[in-house]
Amino acid sequence: MTTPKTSAFSKRKVQTAIFIVLALGPSYVGYLLFTLYPNLMSAYYSVLQWNGITAAKFIGLDNYIYLFQDHYVWRALSHNLILMATVPILTIIPSILLAYLINVKGYPESPLYKVIYFLPNVLAVIVVALMWSFIYDGSYGLLNAFLNLIGIDNNEFYWLGSKTTAIWALLPPMIWAGVGFYVVIFMNAMKSIPPSLYEAAILDGASHMTRLRKITLPLISPIVRISTLFLVLGVFKGFEIMLIMTNGGPSGSTEVIGLYMFNMAFGKESHNYGYASAIGMFLFVLLVIAKLLIDRFSSRDQVEF
């Protein structure tokens, strides 16, 4: 015979289980359908020769063997490495400096600065890419107009049409689109630092750079590490700006791994889903390695205050 106390306990357990299912169920279903299942299917497709229409043919590891012999893959990877070595640094450092400046000065219009810096993140990627494409245009672009204004005549040089400058011309839009987001992140992180720490440092005669280096950076280092990780992984995965601004050109000088995979699967001249899936699995391994390296070489020490 169950007592009222036992019955109430059982009812509470059932209610808790129902709540957990209702709260977490949609997220898990979404993860299974849109993350885990596509990844498993990509691994399966990577051992097939398949164009998405005709019958698939099992070819084992042939796609992976060809991948390591494909010099276009390694050329694209070299461009990823260039972006990985520049974009995170050129995004994180200005973001920290701007966030620190706004926090320290305590400008009354700081919320307005937040909105201005964050504005590029509100814009769609295609808007950002098209806007910068117009800036770089040789005939009527703002960059050439500015250079002509200060006396530099470059004969209507088209910045995205040269193999020498195209990859570097992609850096400003990528950095401009990312700085505002991280300024807001770092500003919020810095606001959690007790003002008494800065007041004590000021009494000791510490300069702004000393306070930034000795107080701010150590206390927000976990946020900086996570932001760096997101930027590195985003550079490896992202290809939207390249697709819109250059489509990998000229002559493949701006092609990255993600764009090469996309063109292999959906390009005009190729519909090789099997090989594209093999490139996707290769990219997945690279992302895991990048994540492990960042964890290995970045400090995880927690600074308490």
Side-chain angles (χ1 to χ4, degrees):
M1 182 177 180
T2 58
T3 63
K5 189 174 183 179
T6 305
S7 177
F9 179 74
S10 301
K11 185 178 180 181
R12 192 181 305 115
K13 286 181 63 177
V14 171
Q15 291 174 342
T16 302
I18 293 174
F19 172 78
I20 292 174
V21 170
L22 293 177
L24 301 180
S27 298
Y28 277 106
V29 171
Y31 173 78
L32 292 174
L33 289 178
F34 302 112
T35 301
L36 185 60
Y37 175 73
N39 287 334
L40 293 176
M41 293 306 296
S42 294
Y44 170 66
Y45 292 148
S46 69
V47 296
L48 301 177
Q49 182 180 350
W50 185 47
N51 61 6
I53 300 175
T54 60
K57 177 184 176 182
F58 179 78
I59 57 174
L61 299 178
D62 287 358
N63 283 328
Y64 292 98
I65 294 172
Y66 180 72
L67 185 152
F68 285 101
Q69 298 172 349
D70 187 355
H71 76 277
Y72 293 113
V73 168
W74 301 107
R75 181 184 66 182
L77 179 59
S78 69
H79 298 152
N80 278 103
L81 294 176
I82 290 173
L83 296 175
M84 187 190 72
T86 52
V87 172
I89 294 175
L90 296 177
T91 302
I92 293 293
I93 292 178
S95 299
I96 292 175
L97 293 176
L98 288 171
Y100 179 77
L101 180 63
I102 295 174
N103 270 338
V104 167
K105 294 298 183 180
Y107 297 118
E109 61 273 16
S110 291
L112 176 62
Y113 291 144
K114 272 189 178 183
V115 173
I116 294 174
Y117 289 138
F118 196 76
L119 181 61
N121 294 271
V122 179
L123 301 176
V125 175
I126 189 170
V127 174
V128 174
L130 290 176
M131 183 180 69
W132 280 89
S133 295
F134 292 141
I135 291 174
Y136 288 134
D137 188 86
S139 300
Y140 49 84
L142 289 177
L143 179 56
N144 282 346
F146 173 75
L147 292 176
N148 290 332
L149 186 64
I150 62 176
I152 301 175
D153 184 9
N154 59 357
N155 296 318
E156 297 187 349
F157 180 73
Y158 191 70
W159 297 87
L160 297 176
S162 170
K163 292 192 291 185
T164 305
T165 59
I167 186 67
W168 305 110
L170 295 175
L171 295 180
M174 297 176 71
I175 295 167
W176 179 76
V179 164
F181 176 78
Y182 291 101
V183 165
V184 175
I185 295 295
F186 294 142
M187 283 181 65
N188 293 331
M190 291 176 188
K191 284 185 177 179
S192 66
I193 300 175
S196 58
L197 296 178
Y198 291 115
E199 293 168 359
I202 292 172
L203 291 176
D204 290 337
S207 63
H208 279 297
M209 289 306 299
T210 302
R211 280 176 264 163
L212 176 63
R213 186 163 46 89
K214 296 292 187 179
I215 299 175
T216 307
L217 288 179
L219 292 177
I220 68 169
S221 59
I223 308 299
V224 174
R225 184 177 67 84
I226 295 298
S227 300
T228 303
L229 176 62
F230 284 162
L231 279 168
V232 169
L233 299 185
V235 166
F236 259 115
K237 294 189 299 181
F239 64 90
E240 296 88 351
I241 284 183
M242 296 81 169
L243 175 65
I244 299 166
M245 294 182 68
T246 64
N247 196 23
S251 301
S253 60
T254 59
E255 192 165 54
V256 292
I257 288 286
L259 181 57
Y260 186 56
M261 175 183 66
F262 178 84
N263 286 331
M264 279 289 107
F266 308 107
K268 295 180 180 179
E269 300 177 0
S270 175
H271 294 283
N272 193 339
Y273 290 104
Y275 186 53
S277 297
I279 297 174
M281 298 309 298
F282 177 59
L283 179 59
F284 171 75
V285 172
L286 291 178
L287 293 175
V288 172
I289 293 174
K291 197 270 181 188
L292 294 176
L293 288 175
I294 291 175
D295 287 344
R296 173 67 178 82
F297 293 105
S298 61
S299 174
R300 291 192 172 209
D301 296 337
Q302 296 291 330
V303 180
E304 297 182 359
F305 52 85

